[in-house]
Amino acid sequence: MNKPDTRETILLSVNGMSCAGCVRTVEAALKDVPGVQIASVNFAGQTAAVTGETLASSLIRAVNDAGYDARLLGQNSIESQENEAVDLLRRSLFRSSLALAGGSLLMADMWFGLLPSFNMTIVWVAIGIATLACMLIAGGHFFRGALSAARHLSTNMDTLIVLGTGSAWIYSMVVILYPELLPIGSRHQFFEAALFVIGFVNLGKALEMNARSRASLAIQKLFDLTPRFVTLIDGDEERLVPVADVEPGQQLRIRPGENFPVDGFVVDGKSSADESLLTGESLAIPLVKGSGVSAGTLNIDGSLLVEAASVGEETRLAAIRRLVNEAQNSKPPVARLVDQITAVFVPVIILIAGLTFMTWWLVGPEPQLSFAFVTAMSVLIIACPCALGLAVPMSIMVGIGRAATNGLLIRNSEVLQVASTLDIVVLDKTGTLTMGEPEVNTIDGLNAQGLSIVLGLEQQSAHPVAKSIVSVCLGRHITAAEVSSITEYPGGGVVAEFLGDELVLGSLNFLKQRRISGVPEVERIGTVVALAVGSAYVGHFVLSDKVREGARETIQSLLALGVTPVMLTGDRSAIAEVVAEQVGITEIHAEVSPEKKLALIQAFQAAGHKVAMVGDGINDAAALSAADVGFAMGLGSDVALESADVTLRNGSLQGIEQMIRLSRKVLSNVRQNLVAAFGYNILLIPVAAGVLYPFFGLLINPAFAGLAMALSSVTVVFNAGRLRFS
Ligand code: ADP
Ligand code: MG
C-alpha cells in the first residue's frame, strides 16, 4: 500500500457538527486554508486531520469562520474531555426532554379537549410563542447550523429539520392569525409535531453522542499512561512539577511503581521496566545507567534518576497515540462514496419534498393544503441523512479502537477495508515465524582472530543472526576487530575491510555470489553464516531458531479463514523446509533476496490476489510496502511504525488472524449500517411522501418521522458498538 510521505498532520477536535453535511462544510473551510493538502473530517469522532504546511491557529480560525468550534486535539486532559462529554450529554437530554414535554403537553390537552378553538386568538398566539421559545431553546443548534450552511450556500441535515419544523410553526401561526387564507379543512396546527421532531432528533443525538465519546475516550485512555506530576531535580532540591513543564535535559526522580513521564535515559540507579505497552512483552527489562526508557512504560522496582530526552508530543507514546488517532480519522474508500452521496442528498430531498407538496396540493384529497403540508414535512424530517453520515465512521472508529486494545496498531482505515479482502499472507521466516533469537549450534574453522573479525562486523548489524553471534563472541571475551567501511546487504550479509583485505560475512549463497573460493556445502540443518577474508572462505556458524509460540495455530486459523499462508525467506531451503513443516505451511520460497521477495509479492498481486506481508520491518521494508497490507512484528524499531500498515504491538502472530477477522467484521458492520441507513431512507421517503396513501390510506405523521429518524441513528450507533465486544 502506498504510504503518504511524512508531512505534518494536525489533529483538531471540532465541536458543533450536527450531521454529515457539516463534515463537508468544515472540510471545505479547512481545504481553503493556504498550504493545506489533505483535510479529512471525522463525524463520528468529531475530529479533523489536516496534512500540509500550515499553522494550527489558521486552521482553527477557518473552522470558527465556518460556524464551528475547533481546538487542538489532545491538549486537554482526559478528565476534562470526559466532563465535557457528560456536560454535552446532559444538555442534549435536557433539550430533548424540554421539547418532548412541550409536545406531550399540547397533545394531552388536545386529547382531553382542554384547548380552546382557534377563535381564542390570544391563547393560541401565546401557545405559538411558547412553542417557538421551546423550539429555539431545544433546537437552537439546528437553526444555527442551517444558517451557517446557508451562508456558505450549502445545505445539511439542519436545513431539513429547520425547513420541516420552521414551516410547521409558520403554517400553524398563519392558521391562528389569518385563518381566512386557508380552506376550512386545512386549518390545523402543527406545534406539537414540530416539538416532537426536535425532541426525538435531540434524543437520538444524545444517545449517539454518548456512544461516540465513549468510543473515542476508551482509546485515549489506553495511552493515558504518563503521570501528571513528576519529581524534578533542581540543584540539590527535589520538587514536584507538572509533567508538561519538563524540558529535555532535565533530570527526574522516578520511584518504583511509577510510569516514566518522558523518553530518556537512566543517569543513576538500577531497576527494571515493564515495557509491555510498547513491545507487548511483559518481560522485565533490566535498567542500568545509560539504559533508555520510554514514556508510559513502568518502572518496576528501583528508584531511578532519569534524564529527559524527548517530552510531551515528541515521545514514542505520543507518536503511537497520534497514529491511532489519525487512523480513526482517516476515511476508507467506502466512506468517500457515502460523502459524495450525502452531498447531493439534501438538495434532492428538498426537491422531493417540494414535488410532494405540489402533487398533494394539486391532485390530493381534501383538505389538500393540509395533506400537502404534512407529507412535505414528513419527507424533510425522515430524510435527514444523519444515520448515513454515521454509518461508516462509527464502525471504523470502534473497529480501530478495538484493534488498538488488542495490540494492533493500524495506520489508516483503508488498511482495515483492504485487510478484509486478503487471501494470501506472506510470512518472513527469521524473526517472524521464528523467535528471531537464533542459537549458535556450531562454530567451524573460526579461531579467536576470526571471531574478533566477525564481532567487528556483526556489532554493526541489527539482524537477528548478528545479535546472536555478537552475544556468543562477547561470552567468549572476544574483542572486536577494527573493521572499516561496513556495508550491509539485506538478505545476504555484510561486507567490510580489514587491514587491506575484503571481508565477506553472510549466507553461503552470498559468499558464492561474491566469488569467494572454497565455499563448502554445509550438511547440518540450520542457518549458516560464513566468513571469507580476502576472497577465501575461512569458516562458518550454524544457527537454529525456535519457532514462535502459536505460529502453528495461527497458520491453521489462517487456512480456516480461507487465506493461504506462504513462507518467504532469504535463508537456505533445508532449514526453511523444517520450519515450514513445523508450522504447517506448504508453499515456501527459500533463498530469495529482498528484491525477489518484492517481485513475488507483485506476482501474486498481478494474479489478482490480495496479499499481506508479515516481516520484522527492517530488511523486508520493500516487500512490506508493496503488499496490500504490511504487518510489522512489534515496535522493536521505529521503522516498523513508519513503514508498516499494521504493527503487531504484542509481537504475536495471532494478531494477523485477529486483524483479518476484525476487518471482516468491521466491513460487514459497515455494510449493515449502510443498509440500515440507506434502506431506511429509500423505504420511508416514498411512504412519507404518501405513495401508499391511495392504497392503504397510510401516511406518516411528522412526529413519527422524527422518532424514526432518531431510531435509525441510534441503530447505527449501537450496531457499531457491537464491534467492541467482538
Ligand atoms: P529471512 O528472510 O529469513 O528473514 P534474511 O533475508 O534476512 O532472512 O537473510 C537471509 C540470510 O542471509 C540469513 O539466513 C543469513 O545467512 C544471511 N544474512 C543476512 N544478514 C546477515 C548479517 N547481518 N550477518 C550475517 N548473515 C546475514
Ligand atoms: Mg527477516
Side-chain angles (χ1 to χ4, degrees), residues 428-432 434 463-464 491 568-570 597 613-620:
D428 172 53
K429 179 182 72 72
T430 318
T432 301
T434 64
H463 199 278
L568 276 193
T569 177
K597 286 185 179 177
M613 166 83 198
V614 194
D616 43 25
I618 306 161
N619 59 354
D620 305 308

Side-chain angles (χ1 to χ4, degrees), residues 428-431 458 461-466 469 488-494 505-508 510 527-530 568-572 592-594 597 616 619-620:
D428 172 53
K429 179 182 72 72
T430 318
E458 295 288 53
S461 169
H463 199 278
V465 298
I469 291 176
E488 179 151 3
Y489 292 84
V494 276
L505 181 77
S507 67
L508 294 171
F510 184 62
T527 302
V528 176
V529 174
L568 276 193
T569 177
D571 210 347
R572 304 198 301 159
V592 287
S593 62
K597 286 185 179 177
D616 43 25
N619 59 354
D620 305 308

Side-chain angles (χ1 to χ4, degrees), residues 228-232 239-246 250 252:
R228 302 264 172 277
F229 289 92
V230 62
T231 315
L232 179 77
R239 62 195 164 89
L240 215 56
V241 297
V243 170
D245 294 351
V246 176
Q250 289 183 324
L252 309 170

Side-chain angles (χ1 to χ4, degrees), residues 684-706:
L684 288 190
I685 290 170
V687 182
V691 171
L692 295 182
Y693 185 79
F695 313 106
F696 306 106
L698 183 66
L699 267 189
I700 291 183
N701 172 314
F704 172 77

